Amino acid sequence: MISVMQRTRLAAVPRLEVHAAKAPPVSSQIRKRTRVQLYLPIADIPVNVLLILAMGAAVGFVSGMFGIGGGFLMTPLLIFVGIAPAVAVATVTSHIAASSFSGALSYWRKRAIDPMLALVLLSGGIIGTILGVLTFTRLRSLGQLDLLIALSYLVLLSGVGAAMSWEGLRAMLRARQSRTVPLRRSGGHGWVHGLPLKIRFKRSKIYLSAIPVIAIGLLIGFIGAVMGIGGGFILVPLLIYLLRVPTSTVIGTSMMLTLITMTFATVLHAATNHLVDAVLALILMTGGVTGAQFGARAGQRIRGEHLRLLLGLLILAVGIRFAIELGIRPADLYTVRETTGDT
């Protein structure tokens, strides 16, 4: 009886060794999973580095093609891949500031920036940025920040995207019918020019009130701090069509405003909310610089009306995506977040 049991145990040993050999080592599985994963300290989640690089390159390509900051695309994309909206907004402000630096410097060397216009815009932009960060912090403490960001993107991007798509489509139809639309002169007069506190902007060769200029700067600063966008796709049309600023100085002045307001917003977000993820911003910048070079070359080969239509459709698509997200039932109906302060 004993000999039979010993033989059975000895025969069972190789079987156990065979089964253990078939199972893949746990360490190799972990290495495969983490080969392209990187932990973001502020966002508090691991992300695929190649995916974030591809997102940065794609947004950089769009920015180079259309001559815009790309924050209206980068922030939603980060939210869609699982980054918390508050971290996405705060981090993208640093990305926009870095990406607009080279452009602003280039326009400054070409003397394509109106210093006085930029200064007046900044006087409102700084105030708007402070108000935006305070609103951001307050809504975050109340737990309503994510909803505000989603609704803001839905309304803003849907409206702007639909308007740009319609204008681009009309321009394409006019081009096919060989019809031209007379352009308004940059020095034309409107109701804005009847307001008091007028200032002469010598480089732009316009003479108008500082009130609408400060108001536009305040609006752009507020939107940028709350939504994480540079606001160039809003600022440029306002300067051209409302204030009649010539296109020779409007792009450079817009980039200068974006650079300073986004830098200021980054500092405020880092100091008050501690939500700027430097690791994530560095990855996005690396991909963005690469993609912008190819986007600029592609944009030179496409006609202006086609570019406007494509940009409008792209903005509209992001707005529709937010509408779908708001209509989908979330997997978790409740969230638990640590709060500080007295209750």
Side-chain angles (χ1 to χ4, degrees):
M1 179 71 68
I2 297 175
S3 61
V4 173
M5 292 178 64
Q6 289 176 349
R7 290 195 196 106
T8 305
R9 290 174 180 173
L10 292 174
V13 171
R15 294 180 183 177
L16 292 175
E17 292 178 355
V18 171
H19 287 298
K22 289 182 179 179
V26 178
S27 59
S28 63
Q29 291 181 355
I30 296 176
R31 279 196 295 267
K32 289 181 180 179
R33 291 180 182 176
T34 59
R35 190 170 296 171
V36 293
Q37 295 284 325
L38 181 66
Y39 179 77
L40 301 178
I42 303 300
D44 197 23
I45 61 170
V47 295
N48 190 317
V49 178
L50 298 181
L51 176 61
I52 301 298
L53 278 173
M55 288 169 49
V59 174
F61 182 86
V62 173
S63 301
M65 176 181 289
F66 298 111
I68 56 178
F72 71 95
L73 279 178
M74 183 61 74
T75 304
L77 286 177
L78 291 177
I79 295 174
F80 295 155
V81 299
I83 305 295
V87 177
V89 169
T91 303
V92 169
T93 56
S94 63
H95 175 258
I96 296 174
S99 61
S100 61
F101 174 76
S102 59
L105 183 62
S106 175
Y107 280 103
W108 179 267
R109 291 175 177 174
K110 296 177 182 177
R111 299 180 62 84
I113 296 177
D114 191 323
M116 180 58 68
L117 180 59
L119 183 63
V120 178
L121 283 170
L122 280 173
S123 63
I126 296 298
I127 298 174
T129 302
I130 295 174
L131 294 176
V133 172
L134 292 176
T135 303
F136 183 97
T137 304
R138 179 59 178 169
L139 290 173
R140 182 168 176 262
S141 66
L142 296 175
Q144 300 297 322
L145 180 62
D146 294 0
L147 179 61
L148 172 70
I149 292 174
L151 289 176
S152 300
Y153 268 102
L154 173 61
V155 174
L156 180 64
L157 297 185
S158 299
V160 174
M164 292 189 67
S165 300
W166 175 248
E167 195 277 335
L169 183 60
R170 289 180 59 188
M172 289 178 59
L173 294 176
R174 287 195 300 265
R176 289 184 178 182
Q177 298 174 0
S178 300
R179 290 191 303 171
T180 59
V181 178
L183 298 175
R184 295 178 180 179
R185 294 185 303 168
S186 60
H189 291 282
W191 64 270
V192 174
H193 296 265
L195 296 175
L197 301 177
K198 291 187 176 182
I199 300 177
R200 189 175 302 278
F201 302 98
K202 296 182 179 180
R203 187 163 295 180
S204 297
K205 299 179 181 179
I206 55 176
Y207 182 62
L208 52 85
S209 172
I211 296 176
V213 182
I214 295 175
I216 291 175
L218 190 148
L219 174 65
I220 298 301
F222 183 85
I223 292 177
V226 174
M227 299 179 62
I229 59 177
F233 67 99
I234 303 175
L235 177 61
V236 172
L238 286 176
L239 293 180
I240 293 177
Y241 296 109
L242 182 62
L243 304 184
R244 310 290 176 82
V245 179
T247 55
S248 59
T249 59
V250 69
I251 303 297
T253 305
S254 171
M255 296 196 73
M256 179 62 70
L257 176 67
T258 300
L259 170 62
I260 299 178
T261 54
M262 290 296 98
T263 302
F264 189 55
T266 301
V267 174
L268 289 180
H269 277 303
T272 58
N273 300 309
H274 311 288
L275 293 175
V276 178
D277 198 311
V279 177
L280 177 60
L282 181 61
I283 300 174
L284 293 175
M285 291 175 195
T286 304
V289 170
T290 305
Q293 305 300 320
F294 295 97
R297 297 176 184 177
Q300 295 173 357
R301 303 177 182 178
I302 304 177
R303 299 180 60 178
E305 58 270 16
H306 293 169
L307 282 175
R308 290 195 297 271
L309 178 60
L310 288 174
L311 180 59
L313 292 175
L314 184 62
I315 295 174
L316 182 60
V318 177
I320 294 175
R321 181 69 169 81
F322 267 101
I324 296 174
E325 283 288 323
L326 287 174
I328 295 177
R329 182 184 179 90
D332 299 324
L333 297 180
Y334 301 96
T335 58
V336 178
R337 184 174 64 87
E338 181 181 357
T339 59
T340 58
D342 298 333
T343 56

